[in-house]
Amino acid sequence: MHLAYPAVLAVLLFCTGLYGVLARRNAILVLMSVELMLNAVNLNLVAFDVWLRDALHSGQALTLFTIAIAAAEIGIGLAIVLAVYRNRGSSDIDRLRDTAETDDAETLPDSDDGDDAGPATASGTEDQATAPAGKAKKAEATP
């Protein structure tokens, strides 16, 4: 078998994966495209290993290592995507820029009454989720 056939197939797989990474907005589809690119590399490793008739089969050993790393990468990547989806309600990559921490200490109202309960909402009750976080951010922002 000629080396050109698996090499051309690997190039097509890699270009398809590259297009998926650059054009997709869904994080899961981007992860799938990265896996496609890694599989193209694995195909090249095995094809060149067979073509060179290496006695140690180093291309196949490196392919197994790459598959193990890809499995770990997809596990961690999916865990991150699921955590973002639970917090944001979307896995859109364009919205991930909004997850960066910003200094919102200036926008939080300061309660000067000495009460450590935090700012009150319109109904007079405390917002338990944001009040401690706001005070912590304000404390970090204050020199």
Side-chain angles (χ1 to χ4, degrees), residues 58-138:
S58 57
Q60 293 178 16
L62 189 57
T63 297
L64 288 175
F65 181 72
T66 307
I67 289 170
I69 294 297
E73 174 257 336
I74 204 70
I76 292 172
L78 280 176
I80 292 171
V81 168
L82 286 175
V84 168
Y85 182 77
R86 285 182 184 168
N87 288 336
R88 296 281 179 181
S90 172
S91 61
D92 190 11
I93 291 180
D94 291 336
R95 292 186 183 183
L96 290 181
R97 285 180 274 154
D98 299 336
T99 60
E101 289 187 27
T102 58
D103 189 21
D104 293 335
E106 292 83 23
T107 61
L108 292 174
D110 188 22
S111 62
D112 292 335
D113 58 355
D115 184 38
D116 286 340
T121 59
S123 64
T125 60
E126 300 173 14
D127 187 4
Q128 297 294 331
T130 59
K135 286 197 174 233
K137 283 185 181 178
K138 185 161 185 139

Side-chain angles (χ1 to χ4, degrees), residues 40-62:
V41 171
N42 288 340
L43 180 63
N44 268 336
L45 285 171
V46 171
F48 278 100
D49 183 51
V50 170
W51 185 63
L52 293 174
R53 298 174 199 248
D54 187 15
L56 295 175
H57 299 291
S58 57
Q60 293 178 16
L62 189 57

